[in-house]
Amino acid sequence: TDLTGFQDYVLGGKKLAMSKLVTYEPADVTNKKLAWEIVGGCDYATINASTGALSTKAVTVPYEFTVRVSSTYAEMAVTIYPATTKVSIFNNGENVTGKTINEFVGETLWLEALSTPEESMMYYDKAGWQWISSATDYVSIDANGMATILKGGKTVTITAKALDGTNKTATF
């Protein structure tokens, strides 16, 4: 039994079916019954010993603990991260969240999204951002937040969406 490919982080307040993330060697093993435990205990997570269902509580700072498949002694460090509560969009260091800015055709904006709290999964690059333009024929935006003004004459809304499971957004 191996925990290969197991994600080593989870958003506080979420559940994770750890048994679905286990690989068995050999692959045709017939006894797939495992015993799960949290090593040393944990105030912010519980695990069902027979199913591997991990439940976490909300946290305000990252909290790390170890999960063990006690029947094989395979272990994995897991970190619970705080949920994103707010997203802000910056252009050249200026917070443009909720603002209207005027740009010229052909200009490029290098946008950055930041999450609150600072200690969230987003801060540690454990999840990404989805950038959305309300009118891609006027303003295109790539996966890195680079927005290009293609043509004028329309107000376009740009949205940054946190992909950490909270789906929190900010727009300008």
Side-chain angles (χ1 to χ4, degrees):
T1 308
D2 189 11
L3 292 175
T4 303
F6 173 67
Q7 67 186 66
D8 60 349
Y9 54 88
V10 63
L11 185 66
K14 297 288 184 182
K15 295 181 180 192
L16 185 61
M18 294 189 54
S19 60
K20 293 182 179 180
L21 304 171
V22 173
T23 57
Y24 295 91
E25 294 178 16
D28 63 349
V29 66
T30 55
N31 181 6
K32 295 185 177 181
K33 187 175 182 177
L34 301 173
W36 297 88
E37 67 179 320
I38 294 175
V39 179
C42 176
D43 293 335
Y44 301 103
T46 58
I47 194 162
N48 183 299
S50 59
T51 66
L54 180 71
S55 298
T56 65
K57 295 180 182 178
V59 295
T60 56
V61 295
Y63 183 84
E64 186 174 303
F65 60 99
T66 301
V67 171
R68 176 187 296 152
V69 180
S70 58
S71 53
T72 65
Y73 298 103
E75 292 185 351
M76 173 62 70
V78 178
T79 304
I80 304 171
Y81 286 97
T84 297
T85 58
K86 180 182 173 185
V87 175
S88 301
I89 300 173
F90 291 82
N91 179 39
N92 291 325
E94 177 188 353
N95 189 340
V96 294
T97 307
K99 296 182 179 179
T100 300
I101 60 173
N102 295 306
E103 298 294 335
F104 295 102
V105 173
E107 286 199 53
T108 299
L109 305 175
W110 297 92
L111 303 174
E112 179 183 22
L114 296 177
S115 63
T116 304
E118 187 176 286
E119 297 278 328
S120 73
M121 286 173 62
M122 304 305 294
Y123 178 78
Y124 292 97
D125 293 328
K126 296 293 185 184
W129 297 99
Q130 179 181 13
W131 290 96
I132 305 161
S133 169
S134 65
T136 55
D137 51 334
Y138 286 82
V139 178
S140 68
I141 189 156
D142 71 12
N144 298 313
M146 184 179 80
T148 304
I149 314 306
L150 303 173
K151 61 182 177 180
K154 183 172 184 154
T155 301
V156 177
T157 300
I158 300 294
T159 303
K161 178 181 175 183
L163 298 178
D164 63 354
T166 65
N167 295 322
K168 293 288 185 180
T169 63
T171 60
F172 84 96

